[in-house]
Amino acid sequence: MSVDPELASVNGRKRSQRPQASHREVADELRTRIRSGVLRPGQRMPTQAKLADEFGVERGAVRQALRILQSEHLLTNVSKGAPATVAQGPGPARRATGSEAPPQPTMVALTPRIEAAFAASHVRIDALCLTSVSLNLALGGPLRLIHAGRLEPAKIDVRVLLPSRNIDLAFPTAVADDASAEDAVHDRWLAQRNAQGQVLRHNLLALRATHGIDVHVTFRALPFTPPVKLYLLNGAEALFAYYTLGRHEREIDHEHLQTYDAEGTQSMLFAFEQGAGLRDTTFVDQSTRWFDALWETISSELHLTS
């Protein structure tokens, strides 16, 4: 007689009596079961309540674990109400995580990681970047899920480090040695930085009124142009990319200008995870210390005004 997966633990064993697991440990165990064939492609998972009972964790930890596996394309149909399904035929490259994961363009890699981070009860995001365009785009997914009732964080803390308006930017910069062209490029960057920051802050703070979420969004200014971008998610992940410069033509004030600039949304993002080995854990720890040091020492108050 077949056993309904809704009525059994995920691997057919009785609920574990081990100490409460973290969401990453839950994700690691379920990932192992998927890769080993214990959980088969197309098989429906137990409910989040059943998984929470098996692992001895809160449902929020289960949701976060499932969203991690969904971002790795190992699960589909992850939602608050219905059980998830094991993805059909996930390929080896899509299974890799941490130091084994290949780098991907920022907007391919960042969006699912931000969405998975929002499954936590307390969401913490630190970002160091040039304009916050990529972060704004990546936040669209979890914001939609919150409004749909599929994600329910209780608290959101976001800190963003951006270049100061008062510095000579290393990039973007005009190719020509022309003061008016340089001013136009700087003004365009500043307008983008301020507009993106204002949208990010507005969209997140609106969750206070619409969902009663405790939200804090803070910006600080750096006295230099960052040659890299860094995202720290819930103290457990570090996503890192280089700004690779190229020559681009930009239309600014109806004039076509040659600039040296970087396409931040296309920068290749490297992922590092706590617990994925000494290399990854050390990188996350050191990146967190580096960000905190910049935040607490040489950065200054940033006003998102023209």
Side-chain angles (χ1 to χ4, degrees):
M1 181 178 70
S2 63
V3 179
D4 187 337
E6 291 290 318
L7 303 178
S9 72
V10 74
N11 62 351
R13 299 195 298 267
K14 293 182 179 180
R15 180 165 59 95
S16 170
Q17 298 301 312
R18 65 185 175 182
Q20 188 176 53
S22 70
H23 71 278
R24 296 209 164 271
E25 290 172 321
V26 175
D28 290 344
E29 174 62 22
L30 295 180
R31 187 186 299 111
T32 297
R33 295 176 191 179
I34 293 171
R35 290 177 176 175
S36 66
V38 172
L39 292 168
R40 301 177 304 280
Q43 180 178 345
R44 190 171 65 164
M45 300 283 287
T47 63
Q48 293 178 14
K50 295 283 188 182
L51 290 171
D53 184 55
E54 177 185 353
F55 288 100
V57 298
E58 300 294 329
R59 290 193 192 184
V62 171
R63 283 197 296 272
Q64 191 168 5
L66 296 179
R67 292 205 175 279
I68 288 173
L69 299 180
Q70 179 175 251
S71 74
E72 297 169 7
H73 306 283
L74 295 176
L75 293 178
T76 61
N77 302 324
V78 173
S79 67
K80 182 181 177 182
T85 302
V86 179
Q88 295 284 352
R94 299 170 82 178
R95 298 178 183 178
T97 58
S99 59
E100 298 179 357
Q104 295 178 305
T106 293
M107 288 320 303
V108 175
L110 184 60
T111 299
R113 303 314 309 138
I114 293 285
E115 188 172 309
F118 266 75
S121 176
H122 183 187
V123 180
R124 292 176 293 126
I125 297 176
D126 291 335
L128 178 148
C129 45
L130 192 65
T131 61
S132 74
V133 170
S134 297
L135 180 59
N136 243 334
L137 292 171
L139 284 169
L143 289 175
R144 285 190 293 272
L145 291 173
I146 289 172
H147 291 303
R150 293 169 58 187
L151 288 175
E152 298 177 337
K155 186 175 183 179
I156 300 172
D157 286 313
V158 176
R159 300 188 300 174
V160 185
L161 284 171
L162 297 166
S164 168
R165 61 169 294 168
N166 299 319
I167 63 172
D168 292 328
L169 289 172
F171 65 91
T173 186
V175 173
D177 185 13
D178 182 284
S180 62
E182 191 60 52
D183 288 344
V185 172
H186 184 277
D187 290 346
R188 177 181 182 273
W189 162 81
L190 181 61
Q192 186 179 49
R193 186 205 71 169
N194 291 344
Q196 291 294 325
Q198 289 166 358
V199 169
L200 187 153
R201 183 170 59 189
H202 175 270
N203 287 343
L204 288 173
L205 292 181
L207 297 175
R208 288 180 178 175
T210 58
H211 293 77
I213 300 173
D214 183 14
V215 180
H216 299 272
V217 183
T218 313
F219 298 87
R220 288 186 68 81
L222 291 170
F224 62 88
T225 309
V228 299
K229 58 168 60 180
L230 175 70
Y231 306 97
L232 300 168
L233 310 181
N234 293 343
E237 291 183 87
L239 305 173
F240 174 91
Y242 296 101
Y243 282 117
T244 302
L245 297 183
R247 185 164 178 156
H248 302 274
E249 183 176 284
R250 309 294 191 195
E251 184 176 354
I252 304 175
D253 295 333
H254 308 292
E255 184 178 356
H256 292 273
L257 297 177
Q258 294 295 318
T259 67
Y260 292 123
D261 201 354
E263 299 288 354
T265 58
Q266 299 303 311
S267 298
M268 299 301 287
L269 206 61
F270 294 80
F272 301 84
E273 297 183 18
Q274 281 277 9
L278 179 61
R279 169 185 174 274
D280 278 39
T281 297
T282 302
F283 188 89
V284 174
D285 289 343
Q286 291 299 311
S287 296
T288 301
R289 290 182 62 185
W290 183 62
F291 185 96
D292 287 342
L294 291 175
W295 188 270
E296 295 165 4
T297 58
I298 62 174
S299 67
S300 58
E301 188 175 2
L302 186 151
H303 297 286
L304 296 170
T305 56
S306 58

